[in-house]
Amino acid sequence: DQQVKQNSPSLSVQEGRISILNCDYTNSMFDYFLWYKKYPAEGPTFLISISSIKDKNEDGRFTVFLNKSAKHLSLHIVPSQPGDSAVYFCAASEGLGGSARQLTFGSGTQLTVLP
Amino acid sequence: SAVISQKPSRDICQRGTSLTIQCQVDSQVTMMFWYRQQPGQSLTLIATANQGSEATYESGFVIDKFPISRPNLTFSTLTVSNMSPEDSSIYLCSVHTGRELFFGEGSRLTVL
């Protein structure tokens, strides 16, 4: 049972336009959500996160939106740049305490930004 | 943040053999995590490596297949034992800082 789903395996966007990557989750206990970016031959790198007490978090060109009632989050990249071309993973975690927070990952979305 | 180095970065292995992946972190961490990413799939947690105690394995992963060592607070190894083509994956070491995970660059194993 996939608790975190990224239903679009790929997305192509023109340079300068907005990229919107979507993620749905089923576990209502998730309270922290993250996006990771992965280039080929590299490990995933943390991009941006959001706590369940917020509905938006912005960092430069990247904004994450959380809709708790719909159990849906999205990552907006604007303007998109060719260097943003990568696989984007959505991840979620639950509970409090300690450093042993386990993340549940989605299957990823390959973003291609066309010059 | 943390700097995580993994070795080997990639390898091609024969069926039935075993391979040990090393993970070095530039700071002391309580827990280290090993993930697997099969082709086209999500990242799946294999186990949590605790210093001074046995690793904690997730459902579907067993110690005999994926033995883990954690001799100190900056180093861990994951062995993939008796490999089959189904073990062809990227294996990733990670550590926790705050609420984010930081990953090594991964070890891409291809089993023939």
Side-chain angles (χ1 to χ4, degrees), chain B residues 17-93:
Chain B
T17 62
S18 299
L19 183 79
T20 296
I21 303 166
Q22 299 179 5
C23 178
Q24 180 76 50
V25 187
D26 68 342
S27 58
Q28 293 185 340
V29 292
T30 305
M31 294 185 180
M32 296 173 73
F33 305 91
W34 287 97
Y35 280 82
R36 179 176 74 178
Q37 185 191 8
Q38 293 178 302
Q41 303 294 314
S42 175
L43 287 79
T44 302
L45 181 65
I46 297 171
T48 302
N50 310 300
Q51 198 273 330
S53 63
E54 279 197 6
T56 306
Y57 289 83
E58 297 301 305
S59 175
F61 298 96
V62 295
I63 187 171
D64 289 346
K65 177 67 176 177
F66 298 101
I68 287 171
S69 79
R70 183 81 200 276
N72 58 54
L73 290 173
T74 63
F75 187 79
S76 178
T77 67
L78 170 75
T79 299
V80 186
S81 302
N82 189 24
M83 287 185 283
S84 67
E86 292 71 34
D87 295 318
S88 297
S89 293
I90 300 172
Y91 292 85
L92 296 147
C93 170

Side-chain angles (χ1 to χ4, degrees), chain A residues 6-83:
Chain A
Q6 295 177 254
N7 292 316
S8 298
S10 63
L11 174 69
S12 291
V13 171
Q14 207 68 35
E15 181 178 7
R17 307 295 290 268
I18 185 171
S19 296
I20 300 176
L21 298 101
N22 293 303
C23 178
D24 297 292
Y25 62 96
T26 57
N27 186 345
S28 59
M29 299 301 293
F30 285 145
D31 66 345
Y32 195 69
F33 304 88
L34 309 89
W35 285 93
Y36 283 82
K37 179 170 69 174
K38 185 180 184 301
Y39 293 117
E42 294 184 14
T45 55
F46 169 72
L47 190 58
I48 192 170
S49 63
I50 188 168
S51 165
S52 60
I53 61 173
K54 295 185 175 181
D55 55 17
K56 176 183 175 181
N57 187 28
E58 189 173 353
D59 183 2
R61 297 186 296 115
F62 302 91
T63 302
V64 55
F65 295 92
L66 176 62
N67 183 333
K68 288 187 293 293
S69 61
K71 293 190 177 67
H72 177 84
L73 66 156
S74 60
L75 174 68
H76 293 211
I77 306 173
V78 57
S80 302
Q81 299 173 354

